[in-house]
Amino acid sequence: MHQAIKDLFDRYESQTNAALAGQPDMAAVTDLYDQAFIAASPAGIIAGQKDREFRDALAAGFARNRELGATRVEIRDLRIMPIDPIHALAHVDWRAVYDTADGQKQIDFTNTYLTRTDGDGTRVFGWITGDENEALREHGII
């Protein structure tokens, strides 16, 4: 399970960086996620399906981050906590790099992901994030 989750987040990092470079492979990006998901942030909790609306929201998020100067993300650390034979929590410490008028800025943050590993592979079915807009304000990006 550990290696499958590490491989998942290696792909996650790679696909995110391709999207930030303006070359998103949305089929590969959406393949990182299970058919249904839950998400929690300070803005609230949502549940959804991996459908056209989800794909469009991901593409819009990548476009917004490119407009803000995001150039890449890097995994700084990955901590995996198995729940049972097929489910785990993955705490991912990320570093986002932005090119701004004031030079390059880095934002470190941690997201927690719910993962499922079964005969169809390993995918994210949920995530818990901090306040992205607040972090961008604190670093003078927005």
Side-chain angles (χ1 to χ4, degrees):
M1 177 188 292
H2 279 76
Q3 188 61 50
I5 293 170
K6 182 184 179 320
D7 292 347
L8 169 70
F9 284 100
D10 286 345
R11 289 191 318 274
Y12 197 113
E13 178 185 57
S14 176
Q15 292 302 323
T16 299
N17 285 328
L20 292 176
Q23 301 171 359
D25 177 344
M26 294 310 295
V29 171
T30 58
D31 192 48
L32 300 167
Y33 299 91
D34 217 326
Q35 291 302 315
F37 63 86
I38 57 172
S41 74
I45 299 170
I46 62 168
Q49 298 290 317
K50 183 169 71 172
D51 56 14
R52 182 68 158 164
E53 183 180 348
F54 177 65
R55 182 179 172 149
D56 292 347
L58 288 173
F62 291 135
R64 177 180 184 256
N65 280 309
R66 282 193 305 273
E67 289 171 9
L68 294 174
T71 58
R72 71 181 181 280
V73 295
E74 304 163 357
I75 295 174
R76 295 177 25 254
D77 193 29
L78 170 63
R79 296 172 311 286
I80 299 166
M81 300 174 59
I83 297 170
D84 63 25
I86 64 171
H87 299 99
L89 290 175
H91 301 282
V92 182
D93 295 332
W94 293 101
R95 173 166 289 152
V97 179
Y98 292 81
D99 286 340
T100 71
D102 299 330
Q104 194 175 77
K105 295 187 178 185
Q106 299 176 350
I107 300 176
D108 293 339
F109 61 97
T110 302
N111 289 344
T112 300
Y113 300 87
L114 300 158
T115 66
R116 177 181 173 88
T117 301
D118 60 19
D120 292 328
T122 301
R123 291 188 172 75
V124 171
F125 72 91
W127 56 92
I128 303 165
T129 64
D131 190 334
E132 178 183 358
N133 285 329
E134 180 60 29
L136 292 169
R137 277 191 289 281
E138 285 177 8
H139 287 84
I141 295 172
I142 60 171

